[in-house]
Amino acid sequence: MTMRAVCISDTHGQHRSLKMPKGDLLIHAGDVTSRGSLQEVQEFLGWFSRQSHPYKLFIAGNHDFYFEQATAQKIAHLIPQNVIYLNDSGVEIAGINFWGSPVTPWFYDWAFNRDRGPDMKRHWDLIPQNIDVLVTHGPPFGILDATIHGRKVGCEELRMRLDTLRPRVHVFGHIHEAAGKCQHQGTTFVNASVLDQRYQLLHPPAVLDL
């Protein structure tokens, strides 16, 4: 059975402005808020839980400070029953294995920042070998990760891990201006950022069949 996934990322509180396509699964790849406050998180989760997609899955991003600072118990209490939240963790949906992680290479003083090298690798080593769909906030190095100035800023350790895992799909965001889709070594890569580098709504949700 084909599962239609609708993918978004980096809404930064502008989720209500989206025209959401129908599908079986809604994936948000992080930066659900602008400043990471509890109020922003609650507003997003209310909207997200009301979407018509039977399955709804999201991770946090570097703007989403609440998810890094709050206890696991507080976060679990906050997540609606029909929403799946992943944080270096996985879930199986209709026979498809998903894994999600919010970490990104260090940039200023944002949430879920880790130093490049061993600190990043430690997170990617947690991803199981049988993964079908990987959801991270940041991109792998060299794939839909170029800034407006052409600098590639994706994670090198993630790229090396993907060369081994080769999942069917990898969904991410973080680098707004690199939004789009591409294929590499049998994996479909989706930068699902919906805002441009000026934080203006530009890109529609990405749709793909799993």
Side-chain angles (χ1 to χ4, degrees), residues 5 8 12 35 39 44 67 82 91 94 96 111 124 144 147 166 172 186 188 190 192 198 202:
I8 57 177
H12 294 284
R35 298 177 180 84
Q39 182 179 355
F44 165 77
F67 290 104
N82 66 339
V91 66
I96 300 173
W124 309 138
L144 300 174
T147 67
R166 299 194 180 185
F172 51 89
T188 299
V190 182
R198 296 182 177 86
L202 177 64

Side-chain angles (χ1 to χ4, degrees), residues 1-207:
M1 183 183 74
T2 299
M3 174 180 286
R4 174 150 292 185
V6 177
C7 306
I8 57 177
S9 187
D10 297 80
T11 50
H12 294 284
Q14 299 185 47
H15 43 266
R16 291 184 179 276
S17 299
L18 290 171
K19 293 182 180 179
M20 196 64 64
K22 293 181 179 180
D24 305 299
L25 167 67
L26 177 58
I27 297 174
H28 196 305
D31 277 359
V32 305
T33 69
S34 179
R35 298 177 180 84
S37 69
L38 173 58
Q39 182 179 355
E40 286 180 290
V41 169
Q42 289 172 320
E43 199 281 326
F44 165 77
L45 288 174
W47 171 85
F48 198 64
S49 67
R50 291 191 297 271
Q51 299 309 298
S52 63
H53 310 77
Y55 300 101
K56 291 169 275 284
L57 179 157
F58 83 102
I59 63 170
N62 61 295
H63 279 249
D64 301 326
F65 288 98
Y66 179 83
F67 290 104
E68 185 171 54
Q69 297 167 354
T71 65
Q73 184 178 11
K74 286 184 177 180
I75 293 171
H77 182 73
L78 194 65
I79 303 296
Q81 288 188 347
N82 66 339
V83 170
I84 299 166
Y85 169 64
L86 297 181
N87 180 1
D88 281 339
S89 57
V91 66
E92 180 183 324
I93 302 174
I96 300 173
N97 295 313
F98 295 81
W99 186 269
S101 177
V103 299
T104 49
W106 195 273
F107 180 74
Y108 291 110
D109 232 350
W110 294 101
F112 297 105
N113 276 188
R114 303 290 185 269
D115 290 328
R116 292 180 185 268
D119 282 350
M120 291 297 302
K121 184 177 184 296
R122 188 175 300 116
H123 291 271
W124 309 138
D125 285 347
L126 297 172
I127 306 171
Q129 192 68 40
N130 67 339
I131 199 68
D132 296 305
V133 179
L134 179 63
V135 184
T136 64
H137 183 56
F141 182 80
I143 298 179
L144 300 174
D145 69 331
T147 67
I148 193 69
H149 303 295
R151 183 186 174 197
K152 296 178 180 180
V153 294
C155 178
E156 297 90 345
E157 297 291 344
L158 178 56
R159 176 66 182 270
M160 286 189 285
R161 183 71 171 128
L162 284 165
D163 286 343
T164 299
L165 292 171
R166 299 194 180 185
R168 289 160 55 188
V169 175
H170 181 198
V171 182
F172 51 89
H174 191 42
I175 309 303
H176 298 188
E177 56 267 47
K181 295 181 188 178
C182 71
Q183 296 270 344
H184 180 71
Q185 292 185 342
T187 298
T188 299
F189 292 90
V190 182
N191 181 331
S193 300
V194 296
L195 305 186
D196 64 15
Q197 66 273 17
R198 296 182 177 86
Y199 287 74
Q200 301 297 309
L201 186 62
L202 177 64
H203 306 290
V207 179

